[in-house]
Amino acid sequence: MIKRAALLMLLSTGSVCSALASHLPSLTQEGLQALTLAESSIALNSAAGPKNQTPGVAELYRKALIEGGFPLEAITITRIDDTAYMTLHWPGEDASLKPLVIMGHMDVVAASPSDWTRDPFTPAVEDGYLYGRGASDMKMSNALAITALIHLHQHGFRPHRGIVLALSGDEETTMKTGRILANKLKDASQVLNLDVGGGTLDEETGRPLFYAWSGAEKTYADFDLTTSDPGGHSSEPRARNPITTLAQALLKIQAHSFRPELNALTRSYFLNAARFTTPRLASAMRVFAEAPDNAEAVATLRAEPSLVGAIGTTCVVTMIKGGHALNALPQSADANINCRIFPGHSRSDIIHELTAVIDNPSVRITDRSEGSVETQPSPLDGPFTMAIARATHQAFPNVSVFPSMSSGASDSMWFRQKGIPSYGASPIFMKASDDFSHGLNERVPLSAITPGLHYLLSLIPDLSDN
Ligand SMILES: [Zn+2]
């Protein structure tokens, strides 16, 4: 078996010969390979719908893996509805060990070209960035993972435990293929989800600040609030009106704060991340980490949109509908309440709490969350914690590495639900201000490529040896 240090040396001495390379300082052959693969995959519009090209992205990846030396039979692509999911199985030397799963997704959020500065599905390299839908979420990460696996394979690395690359095809919408993959891979030792977590660069200097991996996520929930009435002629108003009843319920929900909460992951996150924020927030984070009932700290964190989700459950109205004619008393009104539930509570716990807050039996609450499951945090100790620090330091020595909890939902939930430890561990370091995932003019800095490869070439062998 080739040693890890040798693998990294091979990477750093690769020569660059493409004409493009003269504009891309310090990209190795592998870096260019990853960039080309990211570009080709961005050119395929893999948003859900009748023209979904996710199967084409899977074919592109399969071609790259086969050209990189993996056998055809190691790769499966399964079509489902308008999308597809794929797996690459790389057997380990010890077949009795549970495999390491490296997870990603091939689909993207829809993008309308008329709103973008450049066409979202024509990859463009400009000013040190790769632009295009999926650049940061998450076609560059997929390209880095595939390039790293090919590099390891070509340089004689033999994994101790098997490695499975599992790419879902509808993470941004229905998340069905992630659930299928988790069912098929339920014997996984652990899951490395490259879609979540990542490194942060300093806004001014571009210097790497910290790497936050994710060991838990909040439960996604949509609750339907409905109130109805026989209605009637608008010239004869009555005391009861479904629209105002609903409005009163919504105002009560808006005024309600869920209990502030802390777990081992968020405590560690607050204590570590406090070093990289303003003095006022830093002080609130440190106080909250020791005393989550401190009203002043809670108020400060609650007022910060990027942190409010880390201190407890949140619920917010996202859509409303009501009435049927300009001149009729409304017969019904309803609203969608979107909640992000702190680990440890079920969706029915939250329905109970909302019912008590609204305190009006004429407002019915129903759970319409589809494709969401309740999960517990993954362990904070174990081989992953050491491996992630070593990998990050291969890319950037001395950078702080600490855990966090994601406010959004990811394919990790399907694995965590089965008790399989799952960690968000994206290979991308970027500035927070460069993150346009799901938004307009999405991009990824080219400077993320080389450290991302160094990181994966440490992390993958490390975890397959443990
Ligand atoms: Zn994503």
Side-chain angles (χ1 to χ4, degrees), residues 328-363:
L329 296 174
Q331 289 164 5
S332 70
D334 61 311
N336 186 70
I337 304 296
N338 181 256
C339 298
R340 308 297 177 129
I341 303 170
F342 202 85
H345 305 280
S346 66
R347 292 203 295 267
S348 58
D349 290 343
I350 302 305
I351 289 184
H352 262 94
E353 186 160 344
L354 289 175
T355 304
V357 166
I358 295 167
D359 191 24
N360 183 341
S362 72
V363 179

PDB file of all heavy atoms in Angstrom, residues 328-363:
ATOM      1  N   ALA A 328     -67.375  38.198  -1.002  1.00  0.00           N
ATOM      2  CA  ALA A 328     -67.912  37.107  -0.173  1.00  0.00           C
ATOM      3  C   ALA A 328     -67.138  37.003   1.124  1.00  0.00           C
ATOM      4  O   ALA A 328     -65.937  37.283   1.165  1.00  0.00           O
ATOM      5  CB  ALA A 328     -67.813  35.786  -0.936  1.00  0.00           C
ATOM      6  N   LEU A 329     -67.850  36.609   2.169  1.00  0.00           N
ATOM      7  CA  LEU A 329     -67.140  36.311   3.425  1.00  0.00           C
ATOM      8  C   LEU A 329     -66.313  35.052   3.182  1.00  0.00           C
ATOM      9  O   LEU A 329     -66.810  34.099   2.569  1.00  0.00           O
ATOM     10  CB  LEU A 329     -68.140  36.074   4.562  1.00  0.00           C
ATOM     11  CG  LEU A 329     -69.004  37.282   4.937  1.00  0.00           C
ATOM     12  CD1 LEU A 329     -70.052  36.876   5.971  1.00  0.00           C
ATOM     13  CD2 LEU A 329     -68.133  38.413   5.480  1.00  0.00           C
ATOM     14  N   PRO A 330     -65.048  35.060   3.611  1.00  0.00           N
ATOM     15  CA  PRO A 330     -64.195  33.899   3.304  1.00  0.00           C
ATOM     16  C   PRO A 330     -64.713  32.611   3.933  1.00  0.00           C
ATOM     17  O   PRO A 330     -65.216  32.627   5.052  1.00  0.00           O
ATOM     18  CB  PRO A 330     -62.840  34.292   3.878  1.00  0.00           C
ATOM     19  CG  PRO A 330     -63.100  35.421   4.803  1.00  0.00           C
ATOM     20  CD  PRO A 330     -64.348  36.103   4.356  1.00  0.00           C
ATOM     21  N   GLN A 331     -64.599  31.531   3.189  1.00  0.00           N
ATOM     22  CA  GLN A 331     -65.002  30.223   3.724  1.00  0.00           C
ATOM     23  C   GLN A 331     -63.817  29.493   4.346  1.00  0.00           C
ATOM     24  O   GLN A 331     -63.988  28.584   5.142  1.00  0.00           O
ATOM     25  CB  GLN A 331     -65.611  29.369   2.606  1.00  0.00           C
ATOM     26  CG  GLN A 331     -66.970  29.893   2.193  1.00  0.00           C
ATOM     27  CD  GLN A 331     -67.439  29.351   0.863  1.00  0.00           C
ATOM     28  OE1 GLN A 331     -66.793  28.500   0.265  1.00  0.00           O
ATOM     29  NE2 GLN A 331     -68.553  29.862   0.396  1.00  0.00           N
ATOM     30  N   SER A 332     -62.631  29.920   3.936  1.00  0.00           N
ATOM     31  CA  SER A 332     -61.472  29.264   4.548  1.00  0.00           C
ATOM     32  C   SER A 332     -60.235  30.141   4.401  1.00  0.00           C
ATOM     33  O   SER A 332     -60.189  31.057   3.570  1.00  0.00           O
ATOM     34  CB  SER A 332     -61.207  27.896   3.899  1.00  0.00           C
ATOM     35  OG  SER A 332     -60.735  28.087   2.592  1.00  0.00           O
ATOM     36  N   ALA A 333     -59.267  29.853   5.245  1.00  0.00           N
ATOM     37  CA  ALA A 333     -57.966  30.522   5.141  1.00  0.00           C
ATOM     38  C   ALA A 333     -56.949  29.521   5.633  1.00  0.00           C
ATOM     39  O   ALA A 333     -57.210  28.786   6.587  1.00  0.00           O
ATOM     40  CB  ALA A 333     -57.935  31.773   6.003  1.00  0.00           C
ATOM     41  N   ASP A 334     -55.817  29.454   4.947  1.00  0.00           N
ATOM     42  CA  ASP A 334     -54.769  28.596   5.500  1.00  0.00           C
ATOM     43  C   ASP A 334     -53.386  29.142   5.258  1.00  0.00           C
ATOM     44  O   ASP A 334     -53.182  30.043   4.448  1.00  0.00           O
ATOM     45  CB  ASP A 334     -54.927  27.120   5.114  1.00  0.00           C
ATOM     46  CG  ASP A 334     -54.871  26.860   3.643  1.00  0.00           C
ATOM     47  OD1 ASP A 334     -55.581  27.565   2.901  1.00  0.00           O
ATOM     48  OD2 ASP A 334     -54.124  25.998   3.234  1.00  0.00           O
ATOM     49  N   ALA A 335     -52.464  28.612   6.044  1.00  0.00           N
ATOM     50  CA  ALA A 335     -51.094  29.123   6.034  1.00  0.00           C
ATOM     51  C   ALA A 335     -50.138  27.946   6.178  1.00  0.00           C
ATOM     52  O   ALA A 335     -50.493  26.928   6.782  1.00  0.00           O
ATOM     53  CB  ALA A 335     -50.890  30.091   7.190  1.00  0.00           C
ATOM     54  N   ASN A 336     -48.959  28.126   5.646  1.00  0.00           N
ATOM     55  CA  ASN A 336     -47.905  27.124   5.889  1.00  0.00           C
ATOM     56  C   ASN A 336     -46.936  27.657   6.929  1.00  0.00           C
ATOM     57  O   ASN A 336     -46.416  28.770   6.802  1.00  0.00           O
ATOM     58  CB  ASN A 336     -47.128  26.799   4.607  1.00  0.00           C
ATOM     59  CG  ASN A 336     -46.148  25.661   4.838  1.00  0.00           C
ATOM     60  OD1 ASN A 336     -46.560  24.523   5.020  1.00  0.00           O
ATOM     61  ND2 ASN A 336     -44.859  25.970   4.851  1.00  0.00           N
ATOM     62  N   ILE A 337     -46.725  26.867   7.964  1.00  0.00           N
ATOM     63  CA  ILE A 337     -45.734  27.209   8.984  1.00  0.00           C
ATOM     64  C   ILE A 337     -44.544  26.286   8.758  1.00  0.00           C
ATOM     65  O   ILE A 337     -44.676  25.065   8.828  1.00  0.00           O
ATOM     66  CB  ILE A 337     -46.293  26.974  10.405  1.00  0.00           C
ATOM     67  CG1 ILE A 337     -47.587  27.768  10.620  1.00  0.00           C
ATOM     68  CG2 ILE A 337     -45.261  27.347  11.462  1.00  0.00           C
ATOM     69  CD1 ILE A 337     -47.417  29.261  10.571  1.00  0.00           C
ATOM     70  N   ASN A 338     -43.413  26.892   8.460  1.00  0.00           N
ATOM     71  CA  ASN A 338     -42.195  26.103   8.239  1.00  0.00           C
ATOM     72  C   ASN A 338     -41.367  26.114   9.512  1.00  0.00           C
ATOM     73  O   ASN A 338     -40.993  27.177  10.016  1.00  0.00           O
ATOM     74  CB  ASN A 338     -41.411  26.702   7.067  1.00  0.00           C
ATOM     75  CG  ASN A 338     -40.146  25.911   6.770  1.00  0.00           C
ATOM     76  OD1 ASN A 338     -39.044  26.336   7.107  1.00  0.00           O
ATOM     77  ND2 ASN A 338     -40.303  24.753   6.178  1.00  0.00           N
ATOM     78  N   CYS A 339     -41.085  24.921  10.042  1.00  0.00           N
ATOM     79  CA  CYS A 339     -40.324  24.820  11.289  1.00  0.00           C
ATOM     80  C   CYS A 339     -39.007  24.084  11.057  1.00  0.00           C
ATOM     81  O   CYS A 339     -38.922  23.189  10.222  1.00  0.00           O
ATOM     82  CB  CYS A 339     -41.125  24.071  12.346  1.00  0.00           C
ATOM     83  SG  CYS A 339     -42.655  24.906  12.799  1.00  0.00           S
ATOM     84  N   ARG A 340     -37.999  24.492  11.804  1.00  0.00           N
ATOM     85  CA  ARG A 340     -36.712  23.798  11.844  1.00  0.00           C
ATOM     86  C   ARG A 340     -36.535  23.392  13.298  1.00  0.00           C
ATOM     87  O   ARG A 340     -36.309  24.242  14.167  1.00  0.00           O
ATOM     88  CB  ARG A 340     -35.589  24.745  11.384  1.00  0.00           C
ATOM     89  CG  ARG A 340     -35.865  25.415  10.033  1.00  0.00           C
ATOM     90  CD  ARG A 340     -35.967  24.394   8.919  1.00  0.00           C
ATOM     91  NE  ARG A 340     -36.285  25.008   7.645  1.00  0.00           N
ATOM     92  CZ  ARG A 340     -35.604  24.793   6.522  1.00  0.00           C
ATOM     93  NH1 ARG A 340     -34.576  23.963   6.529  1.00  0.00           N
ATOM     94  NH2 ARG A 340     -35.966  25.367   5.406  1.00  0.00           N
ATOM     95  N   ILE A 341     -36.674  22.088  13.530  1.00  0.00           N
ATOM     96  CA  ILE A 341     -36.817  21.580  14.899  1.00  0.00           C
ATOM     97  C   ILE A 341     -35.477  21.139  15.463  1.00  0.00           C
ATOM     98  O   ILE A 341     -34.739  20.379  14.828  1.00  0.00           O
ATOM     99  CB  ILE A 341     -37.829  20.418  14.905  1.00  0.00           C
ATOM    100  CG1 ILE A 341     -39.168  20.907  14.323  1.00  0.00           C
ATOM    101  CG2 ILE A 341     -38.010  19.864  16.312  1.00  0.00           C
ATOM    102  CD1 ILE A 341     -40.164  19.789  14.047  1.00  0.00           C
ATOM    103  N   PHE A 342     -35.187  21.618  16.644  1.00  0.00           N
ATOM    104  CA  PHE A 342     -33.922  21.277  17.325  1.00  0.00           C
ATOM    105  C   PHE A 342     -33.905  19.774  17.616  1.00  0.00           C
ATOM    106  O   PHE A 342     -34.915  19.204  18.030  1.00  0.00           O
ATOM    107  CB  PHE A 342     -33.833  22.071  18.632  1.00  0.00           C
ATOM    108  CG  PHE A 342     -32.434  22.244  19.155  1.00  0.00           C
ATOM    109  CD1 PHE A 342     -31.629  23.277  18.698  1.00  0.00           C
ATOM    110  CD2 PHE A 342     -31.921  21.364  20.102  1.00  0.00           C
ATOM    111  CE1 PHE A 342     -30.338  23.441  19.182  1.00  0.00           C
ATOM    112  CE2 PHE A 342     -30.629  21.513  20.581  1.00  0.00           C
ATOM    113  CZ  PHE A 342     -29.828  22.557  20.122  1.00  0.00           C
ATOM    114  N   PRO A 343     -32.761  19.097  17.388  1.00  0.00           N
ATOM    115  CA  PRO A 343     -32.702  17.650  17.628  1.00  0.00           C
ATOM    116  C   PRO A 343     -33.178  17.313  19.049  1.00  0.00           C
ATOM    117  O   PRO A 343     -32.847  18.021  20.006  1.00  0.00           O
ATOM    118  CB  PRO A 343     -31.216  17.311  17.458  1.00  0.00           C
ATOM    119  CG  PRO A 343     -30.689  18.373  16.546  1.00  0.00           C
ATOM    120  CD  PRO A 343     -31.478  19.623  16.884  1.00  0.00           C
ATOM    121  N   GLY A 344     -33.933  16.221  19.148  1.00  0.00           N
ATOM    122  CA  GLY A 344     -34.449  15.826  20.459  1.00  0.00           C
ATOM    123  C   GLY A 344     -35.953  16.032  20.584  1.00  0.00           C
ATOM    124  O   GLY A 344     -36.554  15.594  21.560  1.00  0.00           O
ATOM    125  N   HIS A 345     -36.555  16.740  19.604  1.00  0.00           N
ATOM    126  CA  HIS A 345     -38.013  16.947  19.638  1.00  0.00           C
ATOM    127  C   HIS A 345     -38.624  16.361  18.379  1.00  0.00           C
ATOM    128  O   HIS A 345     -38.047  16.449  17.299  1.00  0.00           O
ATOM    129  CB  HIS A 345     -38.351  18.438  19.686  1.00  0.00           C
ATOM    130  CG  HIS A 345     -37.696  19.144  20.826  1.00  0.00           C
ATOM    131  ND1 HIS A 345     -38.194  19.097  22.102  1.00  0.00           N
ATOM    132  CD2 HIS A 345     -36.563  19.882  20.883  1.00  0.00           C
ATOM    133  CE1 HIS A 345     -37.395  19.793  22.900  1.00  0.00           C
ATOM    134  NE2 HIS A 345     -36.393  20.268  22.181  1.00  0.00           N
ATOM    135  N   SER A 346     -39.837  15.822  18.556  1.00  0.00           N
ATOM    136  CA  SER A 346     -40.528  15.263  17.397  1.00  0.00           C
ATOM    137  C   SER A 346     -41.401  16.349  16.770  1.00  0.00           C
ATOM    138  O   SER A 346     -41.674  17.386  17.391  1.00  0.00           O
ATOM    139  CB  SER A 346     -41.389  14.084  17.826  1.00  0.00           C
ATOM    140  OG  SER A 346     -42.422  14.561  18.667  1.00  0.00           O
ATOM    141  N   ARG A 347     -41.847  16.069  15.562  1.00  0.00           N
ATOM    142  CA  ARG A 347     -42.765  17.018  14.914  1.00  0.00           C
ATOM    143  C   ARG A 347     -44.059  17.129  15.724  1.00  0.00           C
ATOM    144  O   ARG A 347     -44.638  18.215  15.836  1.00  0.00           O
ATOM    145  CB  ARG A 347     -43.049  16.567  13.483  1.00  0.00           C
ATOM    146  CG  ARG A 347     -41.829  16.672  12.579  1.00  0.00           C
ATOM    147  CD  ARG A 347     -42.227  16.779  11.122  1.00  0.00           C
ATOM    148  NE  ARG A 347     -42.879  15.565  10.663  1.00  0.00           N
ATOM    149  CZ  ARG A 347     -42.238  14.546  10.081  1.00  0.00           C
ATOM    150  NH1 ARG A 347     -40.947  14.622   9.869  1.00  0.00           N
ATOM    151  NH2 ARG A 347     -42.903  13.490   9.687  1.00  0.00           N
ATOM    152  N   SER A 348     -44.523  16.017  16.318  1.00  0.00           N
ATOM    153  CA  SER A 348     -45.779  16.107  17.078  1.00  0.00           C
ATOM    154  C   SER A 348     -45.588  16.931  18.359  1.00  0.00           C
ATOM    155  O   SER A 348     -46.513  17.616  18.812  1.00  0.00           O
ATOM    156  CB  SER A 348     -46.347  14.720  17.376  1.00  0.00           C
ATOM    157  OG  SER A 348     -45.416  13.967  18.079  1.00  0.00           O
ATOM    158  N   ASP A 349     -44.381  16.914  18.952  1.00  0.00           N
ATOM    159  CA  ASP A 349     -44.108  17.808  20.102  1.00  0.00           C
ATOM    160  C   ASP A 349     -44.365  19.262  19.695  1.00  0.00           C
ATOM    161  O   ASP A 349     -44.925  20.056  20.461  1.00  0.00           O
ATOM    162  CB  ASP A 349     -42.618  17.755  20.519  1.00  0.00           C
ATOM    163  CG  ASP A 349     -42.215  16.439  21.167  1.00  0.00           C
ATOM    164  OD1 ASP A 349     -43.114  15.702  21.591  1.00  0.00           O
ATOM    165  OD2 ASP A 349     -40.990  16.153  21.233  1.00  0.00           O
ATOM    166  N   ILE A 350     -43.894  19.602  18.495  1.00  0.00           N
ATOM    167  CA  ILE A 350     -43.994  21.007  18.057  1.00  0.00           C
ATOM    168  C   ILE A 350     -45.442  21.357  17.727  1.00  0.00           C
ATOM    169  O   ILE A 350     -45.913  22.461  18.032  1.00  0.00           O
ATOM    170  CB  ILE A 350     -43.051  21.261  16.854  1.00  0.00           C
ATOM    171  CG1 ILE A 350     -41.600  20.913  17.231  1.00  0.00           C
ATOM    172  CG2 ILE A 350     -43.151  22.709  16.363  1.00  0.00           C
ATOM    173  CD1 ILE A 350     -41.046  21.618  18.465  1.00  0.00           C
ATOM    174  N   ILE A 351     -46.189  20.407  17.141  1.00  0.00           N
ATOM    175  CA  ILE A 351     -47.617  20.651  16.878  1.00  0.00           C
ATOM    176  C   ILE A 351     -48.339  20.919  18.198  1.00  0.00           C
ATOM    177  O   ILE A 351     -49.152  21.839  18.302  1.00  0.00           O
ATOM    178  CB  ILE A 351     -48.247  19.459  16.133  1.00  0.00           C
ATOM    179  CG1 ILE A 351     -47.725  19.429  14.693  1.00  0.00           C
ATOM    180  CG2 ILE A 351     -49.775  19.541  16.160  1.00  0.00           C
ATOM    181  CD1 ILE A 351     -48.344  18.369  13.815  1.00  0.00           C
ATOM    182  N   HIS A 352     -47.993  20.143  19.223  1.00  0.00           N
ATOM    183  CA  HIS A 352     -48.594  20.361  20.547  1.00  0.00           C
ATOM    184  C   HIS A 352     -48.315  21.770  21.043  1.00  0.00           C
ATOM    185  O   HIS A 352     -49.194  22.454  21.546  1.00  0.00           O
ATOM    186  CB  HIS A 352     -47.988  19.364  21.561  1.00  0.00           C
ATOM    187  CG  HIS A 352     -48.845  18.170  21.768  1.00  0.00           C
ATOM    188  ND1 HIS A 352     -48.677  16.993  21.071  1.00  0.00           N
ATOM    189  CD2 HIS A 352     -49.912  17.986  22.580  1.00  0.00           C
ATOM    190  CE1 HIS A 352     -49.598  16.136  21.446  1.00  0.00           C
ATOM    191  NE2 HIS A 352     -50.354  16.704  22.367  1.00  0.00           N
ATOM    192  N   GLU A 353     -47.070  22.170  20.921  1.00  0.00           N
ATOM    193  CA  GLU A 353     -46.688  23.500  21.428  1.00  0.00           C
ATOM    194  C   GLU A 353     -47.405  24.597  20.627  1.00  0.00           C
ATOM    195  O   GLU A 353     -47.913  25.559  21.208  1.00  0.00           O
ATOM    196  CB  GLU A 353     -45.150  23.658  21.360  1.00  0.00           C
ATOM    197  CG  GLU A 353     -44.677  24.947  22.007  1.00  0.00           C
ATOM    198  CD  GLU A 353     -43.197  24.941  22.404  1.00  0.00           C
ATOM    199  OE1 GLU A 353     -42.591  23.845  22.465  1.00  0.00           O
ATOM    200  OE2 GLU A 353     -42.674  26.041  22.654  1.00  0.00           O
ATOM    201  N   LEU A 354     -47.462  24.442  19.311  1.00  0.00           N
ATOM    202  CA  LEU A 354     -48.131  25.464  18.484  1.00  0.00           C
ATOM    203  C   LEU A 354     -49.633  25.511  18.797  1.00  0.00           C
ATOM    204  O   LEU A 354     -50.233  26.598  18.834  1.00  0.00           O
ATOM    205  CB  LEU A 354     -47.910  25.176  16.990  1.00  0.00           C
ATOM    206  CG  LEU A 354     -46.486  25.410  16.464  1.00  0.00           C
ATOM    207  CD1 LEU A 354     -46.372  24.960  15.004  1.00  0.00           C
ATOM    208  CD2 LEU A 354     -46.088  26.889  16.584  1.00  0.00           C
ATOM    209  N   THR A 355     -50.223  24.349  19.036  1.00  0.00           N
ATOM    210  CA  THR A 355     -51.658  24.294  19.374  1.00  0.00           C
ATOM    211  C   THR A 355     -51.924  25.092  20.653  1.00  0.00           C
ATOM    212  O   THR A 355     -52.892  25.859  20.731  1.00  0.00           O
ATOM    213  CB  THR A 355     -52.106  22.825  19.560  1.00  0.00           C
ATOM    214  OG1 THR A 355     -51.783  22.118  18.359  1.00  0.00           O
ATOM    215  CG2 THR A 355     -53.593  22.720  19.824  1.00  0.00           C
ATOM    216  N   ALA A 356     -51.036  24.926  21.634  1.00  0.00           N
ATOM    217  CA  ALA A 356     -51.199  25.657  22.894  1.00  0.00           C
ATOM    218  C   ALA A 356     -51.006  27.151  22.679  1.00  0.00           C
ATOM    219  O   ALA A 356     -51.716  27.983  23.269  1.00  0.00           O
ATOM    220  CB  ALA A 356     -50.203  25.131  23.928  1.00  0.00           C
ATOM    221  N   VAL A 357     -50.057  27.512  21.828  1.00  0.00           N
ATOM    222  CA  VAL A 357     -49.775  28.934  21.568  1.00  0.00           C
ATOM    223  C   VAL A 357     -50.976  29.589  20.885  1.00  0.00           C
ATOM    224  O   VAL A 357     -51.405  30.682  21.256  1.00  0.00           O
ATOM    225  CB  VAL A 357     -48.504  29.054  20.688  1.00  0.00           C
ATOM    226  CG1 VAL A 357     -48.362  30.452  20.116  1.00  0.00           C
ATOM    227  CG2 VAL A 357     -47.263  28.667  21.492  1.00  0.00           C
ATOM    228  N   ILE A 358     -51.542  28.907  19.896  1.00  0.00           N
ATOM    229  CA  ILE A 358     -52.667  29.477  19.133  1.00  0.00           C
ATOM    230  C   ILE A 358     -53.921  29.531  20.012  1.00  0.00           C
ATOM    231  O   ILE A 358     -54.678  30.503  19.962  1.00  0.00           O
ATOM    232  CB  ILE A 358     -52.927  28.638  17.853  1.00  0.00           C
ATOM    233  CG1 ILE A 358     -51.727  28.751  16.916  1.00  0.00           C
ATOM    234  CG2 ILE A 358     -54.192  29.101  17.150  1.00  0.00           C
ATOM    235  CD1 ILE A 358     -51.731  27.735  15.796  1.00  0.00           C
ATOM    236  N   ASP A 359     -54.115  28.499  20.814  1.00  0.00           N
ATOM    237  CA  ASP A 359     -55.200  28.462  21.789  1.00  0.00           C
ATOM    238  C   ASP A 359     -56.562  28.796  21.153  1.00  0.00           C
ATOM    239  O   ASP A 359     -57.300  29.622  21.664  1.00  0.00           O
ATOM    240  CB  ASP A 359     -54.864  29.441  22.949  1.00  0.00           C
ATOM    241  CG  ASP A 359     -55.807  29.259  24.128  1.00  0.00           C
ATOM    242  OD1 ASP A 359     -56.380  28.149  24.253  1.00  0.00           O
ATOM    243  OD2 ASP A 359     -55.987  30.226  24.889  1.00  0.00           O
ATOM    244  N   ASN A 360     -56.838  28.174  20.024  1.00  0.00           N
ATOM    245  CA  ASN A 360     -58.116  28.397  19.360  1.00  0.00           C
ATOM    246  C   ASN A 360     -58.485  27.119  18.600  1.00  0.00           C
ATOM    247  O   ASN A 360     -57.889  26.818  17.568  1.00  0.00           O
ATOM    248  CB  ASN A 360     -57.990  29.586  18.393  1.00  0.00           C
ATOM    249  CG  ASN A 360     -59.325  29.901  17.724  1.00  0.00           C
ATOM    250  OD1 ASN A 360     -60.228  29.056  17.695  1.00  0.00           O
ATOM    251  ND2 ASN A 360     -59.434  31.106  17.192  1.00  0.00           N
ATOM    252  N   PRO A 361     -59.468  26.356  19.116  1.00  0.00           N
ATOM    253  CA  PRO A 361     -59.772  25.049  18.517  1.00  0.00           C
ATOM    254  C   PRO A 361     -60.282  25.144  17.078  1.00  0.00           C
ATOM    255  O   PRO A 361     -60.291  24.138  16.368  1.00  0.00           O
ATOM    256  CB  PRO A 361     -60.841  24.456  19.453  1.00  0.00           C
ATOM    257  CG  PRO A 361     -61.254  25.535  20.373  1.00  0.00           C
ATOM    258  CD  PRO A 361     -60.262  26.645  20.324  1.00  0.00           C
ATOM    259  N   SER A 362     -60.686  26.334  16.635  1.00  0.00           N
ATOM    260  CA  SER A 362     -61.172  26.421  15.248  1.00  0.00           C
ATOM    261  C   SER A 362     -60.018  26.445  14.238  1.00  0.00           C
ATOM    262  O   SER A 362     -60.231  26.368  13.038  1.00  0.00           O
ATOM    263  CB  SER A 362     -62.070  27.643  15.069  1.00  0.00           C
ATOM    264  OG  SER A 362     -61.292  28.814  15.100  1.00  0.00           O
ATOM    265  N   VAL A 363     -58.782  26.567  14.738  1.00  0.00           N
ATOM    266  CA  VAL A 363     -57.614  26.508  13.837  1.00  0.00           C
ATOM    267  C   VAL A 363     -57.031  25.093  13.910  1.00  0.00           C
ATOM    268  O   VAL A 363     -56.594  24.655  14.967  1.00  0.00           O
ATOM    269  CB  VAL A 363     -56.541  27.548  14.233  1.00  0.00           C
ATOM    270  CG1 VAL A 363     -55.332  27.454  13.311  1.00  0.00           C
ATOM    271  CG2 VAL A 363     -57.126  28.953  14.213  1.00  0.00           C
TER     272      VAL A 363
END
